[in-house]
Every structure is written in structure tokens, then in C-alpha cells.
Amino acid sequence: MQSGAHDPVDLERIDPAQNMARFYQLTVQPTLFGEQSVIRSWGRIGTRGRSMAVTFATEGDAVRACEKLVRSKVAKGYLCLSAAEEL
């Protein structure tokens, strides 16, 4: 990933048998204070869902945290829809 704001990673998990239709979105963005934040949004498809931001001192730390979250979600059955780069 390059410095600055990154393209969001969109994940989705749909299972009609369980009435499950979820989305998960991750992005790394700079803060006003020179740090980097991993912003994650999640919820049921068709709703606004919820959001949470976690701030890291360096971009590398934020990218590693984002990649770890993506691997965790893929292991739970989410499909990656829009990753500009392989994680």
C-alpha cells in the first residue's frame, strides 16, 4: 500500500439458509496529527451499520492491522469484493 488514504477493502458474507447478509469495510486513512487510522464499518447489507476507528503511530502498523482483520474475516467466510491489491 502507498502512503496516504487507501482504497477501501469491501467484504461480504451472504448465507440465505441462516438469513445472513453482512458487509464489512476496512480502510486506512491519515489523521490530522500525522498518525494512521484503520476505519472499519460493518452491519447488515442495506443498513448504515456501525463504524469504529483505531489509530496507530505508523502507516505500517495500520496496514498490518488492516491485513490481519481481512485475513480473519476471510477465514470466517467473508468474500473479498473490492481489494485493489492482494493482501
Side-chain angles (χ1 to χ4, degrees):
M1 293 185 160
Q2 302 164 359
S3 63
H6 299 282
D7 291 333
V9 177
D10 294 311
L11 301 149
E12 197 173 81
R13 184 172 179 198
I14 299 174
D15 185 356
Q18 295 181 353
N19 192 25
M20 181 186 305
R22 298 179 183 167
F23 72 91
Y24 204 87
Q25 184 180 59
L26 292 158
T27 188
V28 176
Q29 295 183 352
T31 66
L32 294 174
F33 304 107
E35 300 170 320
Q36 298 287 323
S37 289
V38 173
I39 300 171
R40 47 183 160 162
S41 302
W42 69 92
R44 185 164 177 86
I45 293 173
T47 67
R48 253 175 58 182
R50 295 179 175 214
S51 294
M52 182 171 114
V54 179
T55 304
F56 295 88
T58 66
E59 181 178 8
D61 291 341
V63 169
R64 280 188 291 280
C66 186
E67 290 170 346
K68 184 178 178 182
L69 286 166
V70 169
R71 284 191 303 271
S72 171
K73 290 299 175 184
V74 168
K76 291 181 180 180
Y78 281 79
L79 299 175
C80 193
L81 300 177
S82 64
E85 303 172 5
E86 262 320 295
L87 295 174

